Amino acid sequence: MSCIHYKFSSKLDYDTVAFTGLHISLHDLKRCIMGREKLKAANCDLQIINAQTKEEYTNDNALIPKNSSVIVRRIPVGGVKATSKTCVISQTEPVSGTSKAVRKNTISHIFLHSALDSKQCNLVLNFQTLT
């Protein structure tokens, strides 16, 4: 009897899926894990990543060799979509002794990148100071 060791990224311990043969398809592995964990295919999909190589299995026909260890993440049915927005903020301050407003210490680029994962949102700010 062959097996695949899997764990969800939020758990510490591995569980095991048993099967016959030298390998199992990604589709069959997802089906087995969803059955063991009592997950419904209509609510979520599973992202499967090789624990040693960090390679993500994306093709449902991909064959995973026996005795492999994988990391599992639940994702929305449509997959994870990332959005990126760029905002430019400019601040001008008058310099003493002149009547003109001159750019000084301008915050010129704020990059907002949010990955819409189940419970994850990354915010990256990049400040550039111009004198």
Side-chain angles (χ1 to χ4, degrees):
M1 181 82 42
S2 303
C3 65
I4 297 284
H5 304 282
Y6 74 93
K7 80 176 195 83
F8 282 87
S9 58
S10 60
K11 291 187 178 180
L12 298 175
D13 298 324
Y14 281 88
D15 289 316
T16 304
V17 169
F19 61 95
T20 57
L22 299 175
H23 46 71
I24 187 171
S25 71
L26 179 61
H27 177 74
D28 291 339
L29 178 62
K30 285 181 179 182
R31 198 180 76 233
C32 290
I33 293 172
M34 291 181 109
R36 284 183 51 102
E37 301 292 329
K38 297 179 177 69
L39 300 172
K40 296 180 182 172
N43 297 339
C44 65
D45 193 12
L46 297 179
Q47 179 184 42
I48 308 290
I49 299 170
N50 186 305
Q52 284 77 33
T53 65
K54 306 299 184 217
E55 172 193 1
E56 180 181 355
Y57 297 106
T58 55
N59 184 354
D60 276 349
N61 296 324
L63 298 176
I64 303 169
K66 67 178 184 176
N67 300 325
S68 294
S69 297
V70 296
I71 307 295
V72 181
R73 288 191 179 100
R74 285 188 344 180
I75 58 174
V77 175
V80 177
K81 295 181 181 178
T83 61
S84 295
K85 296 181 181 178
T86 302
C87 301
V88 177
I89 299 174
S90 179
Q91 175 185 357
T92 58
E93 297 176 8
V95 177
S96 59
T98 65
S99 60
K100 294 183 179 180
V102 178
R103 279 190 178 176
K104 184 177 180 183
N105 295 331
T106 303
I107 301 172
S108 65
H109 296 287
I110 297 178
F111 296 100
L112 174 65
H113 174 75
S114 59
L116 302 176
D117 201 347
S118 58
K119 291 183 180 177
Q120 176 182 354
C121 182
N122 295 324
L123 175 64
V124 179
L125 296 177
N126 180 8
F127 294 94
Q128 177 184 2
T129 305
L130 301 175
T131 55

